[in-house]
C-alpha cells in the first residue's frame, strides 16, 4: 500500500529556534513507508551545509485521502 509522500522543507534559524521558511518540495509519487524512509536515509546523500542558519529537512508524510 503506497500512501506516503517524500517532502523536502527548508528551515531557517532566527537565533532562538528553527522556523519553516515557507518553501517545500513534494514528490507526487506515492510510496510505501519503507520506500520513503529509504529516500530519507542520510547514508544515501552527500551534503554540504555551509550556512549554519539554514537547513533542509526530509520527511515522509501520510498522503491525504482527498
Amino acid at each position: 500500500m503506497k500512501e506516503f509522500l517524500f517532502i523536502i522543507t527548508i528551515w531557517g534559524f532566527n537565533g532562538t529556534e528553527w522556523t519553516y521558511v515557507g518553501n517545500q518540495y513534494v514528490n507526487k509519487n506515492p510510496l510505501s513507508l519503507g520506500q520513503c524512509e529509504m529516500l530519507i536515509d542520510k547514508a544515501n546523500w552527500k551534503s554540504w551545509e555551509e550556512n549554519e542558519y539554514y537547513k533542509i529537512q526530509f520527511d515522509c508524510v501520510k498522503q491525504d485521502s482527498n
Side-chain angles (χ1 to χ4, degrees), residues 10-26:
I10 302 173
W11 296 76
F13 188 68
N14 65 16
T16 305
E17 63 187 3
W18 286 98
T19 305
Y20 172 64
V21 300
N23 296 339
Q24 67 180 354
Y25 301 89
V26 180

Side-chain angles (χ1 to χ4, degrees), residues 40-62:
I40 289 177
D41 187 353
K42 298 269 188 214
N44 294 324
W45 296 89
K46 175 73 175 160
S47 65
W48 293 266
E49 297 175 353
E50 297 178 14
N51 187 328
E52 62 186 283
Y53 299 104
Y54 288 96
K55 72 176 180 177
I56 295 172
Q57 180 173 308
F58 301 148
D59 291 295
C60 293
V61 176
K62 188 168 175 83

Side-chain angles (χ1 to χ4, degrees), residues 31-47:
L31 304 164
S32 69
L33 181 57
Q35 290 171 319
C36 192
E37 288 174 338
M38 282 180 45
L39 289 175
I40 289 177
D41 187 353
K42 298 269 188 214
N44 294 324
W45 296 89
K46 175 73 175 160
S47 65

